[in-house]
Amino acid sequence: MSASLRPLLLTTLAMLAFAANSVLCRQALKLTSLDAATFTSVRLLSGALALLAILTIRGRVQRQRQGNWGSALMLFVYAAAFSFAYLSLATGTGALLLFGAVQMTMVFAGLRAGERLQAGQWAGLAGALGGLVYLVLPGLEAPSPQGAAGMLMAGVAWGLYSLRGRATTDPVGATAGNFLRATPMALLLSLFTLFWFRPDPHGMLYAVLSGAVTSGVGYVIWYAALPHLRATQAATVQLSVPVLAALGGILLLGEPLTTRLVLASVAILGGIAAVLWFRSGRPIR
């Protein structure tokens, strides 16, 4: 494969994997009887096993000791809130809320650390926040309040997880360690929600695919692509994930493309793009 095409292929596969997480979760919870807690447990366990297998193949299985309990807790909160939110949210709406919350969490963390935004970035931030507010406002096309709150919680948790992992020198090993630590938390959640346990073979398959393939293998592919991307490129390309997830929901689940979702997507994704692109008072080219 051409050296110039490899980063493009890796990045495309990673974005498709991240978008597929939303589609698989929504498929499992909408089309099968599987409960959200079991989906979370199977996803984290299969992700941990897949990452351990990858580390074993690479001869680095001892690196699964990396990671920490604080990051694992954030990973668990993200995965659990993500699953329960998709009990009531459409695929595209959930992905947009998740992505917006992740990016806003990281932006506000930067502001708290003393970073300064230019005028264009402030305008973008205001637009993105306005889009999030518009998306969840009451109305005929409004998402479930409980689902929206859950997905925003998932986004904040994933944003904090990402911030905690920025300094790691072995992201695959740290991710494997965090998946391993988060799995008992998910199993405990399943124990507490045993009354709602609803096993389903197709739903379990979706959860395994979400954990092992679109999470575990997806993160490995993303970490392989990152060295070839500038920081702004890496952040910007993720704007495609909510769009891809929405398309997956429309094509595979027959979900409607609402006016509210389109307008909110333009405001949120456009606003985040402005925050990412404007540096020193002018766009990066």
Side-chain angles (χ1 to χ4, degrees):
M1 181 186 299
S2 169
S4 61
L5 290 178
R6 186 170 183 269
L8 176 61
L9 176 61
L10 290 173
T11 302
T12 301
L13 288 174
M15 294 306 100
L16 289 172
F18 294 160
N21 266 326
S22 291
V23 177
L24 287 168
C25 185
R26 184 59 177 153
Q27 281 183 307
L29 299 177
K30 179 182 179 181
L31 303 182
T32 81
S33 62
L34 189 70
D35 61 288
T38 301
F39 183 93
T40 303
S41 296
V42 173
R43 179 187 178 189
L44 288 175
L45 176 59
S46 58
L49 293 175
L51 288 164
L52 281 177
I54 291 170
L55 290 175
T56 301
I57 292 171
R58 293 180 173 182
R60 300 176 180 177
V61 68
Q62 71 280 3
R63 297 195 176 187
Q64 55 86 12
R65 299 173 184 171
Q66 296 191 45
N68 57 76
W69 286 102
S71 293
L73 177 61
M74 290 299 99
L75 176 62
F76 163 70
V77 172
Y78 149 74
F82 179 90
S83 300
F84 280 91
Y86 266 130
L87 287 171
S88 57
L89 292 181
T91 309
T93 300
L96 187 59
L97 286 168
L98 176 73
F99 180 83
V102 169
Q103 296 299 322
M104 291 300 101
T105 299
M106 300 183 78
V107 167
F108 283 117
L111 291 174
R112 184 179 180 185
E115 294 182 13
R116 295 180 179 274
L117 299 184
Q118 303 299 322
Q121 293 175 293
W122 280 114
L125 180 60
L129 288 172
L132 281 173
V133 171
Y134 170 67
L135 183 60
V136 300
L137 280 176
L140 291 177
E141 296 180 350
S144 155
Q146 295 85 358
M151 194 59 80
L152 290 173
M153 180 188 298
V156 171
W158 186 255
L160 294 175
Y161 177 82
S162 301
L163 290 167
R164 291 178 61 91
R166 287 190 301 185
T168 183
T169 57
D170 182 13
V172 176
T175 303
N178 290 329
F179 264 78
L180 280 172
R181 291 176 177 87
T183 298
M185 303 179 196
L187 293 174
L188 188 60
L189 173 66
S190 291
L191 181 61
F192 280 125
T193 59
L194 194 59
F195 179 79
W196 292 278
F197 177 58
R198 298 289 185 274
D200 184 283
H202 291 97
M204 299 281 269
L205 175 61
Y206 292 140
V208 169
L209 289 174
S210 177
V213 180
T214 60
S215 292
V217 176
Y219 295 150
V220 172
I221 294 173
W222 177 234
Y223 293 137
L226 276 177
H228 304 283
L229 303 173
R230 295 193 301 271
T232 304
Q233 290 177 319
T236 304
V237 73
Q238 293 178 66
L239 293 170
S240 65
V241 173
V243 177
L244 292 171
L247 289 174
I250 292 168
L251 296 176
L252 299 176
L253 298 170
E255 295 176 345
L257 181 63
T258 66
T259 302
R260 182 186 291 240
L261 179 61
V262 172
L263 293 178
S265 297
V266 171
I268 295 171
L269 301 182
I272 292 171
V275 173
L276 295 173
W277 291 339
F278 279 88
R279 299 283 189 253
S280 302
R282 59 179 181 175
I284 289 181
R285 300 189 184 279

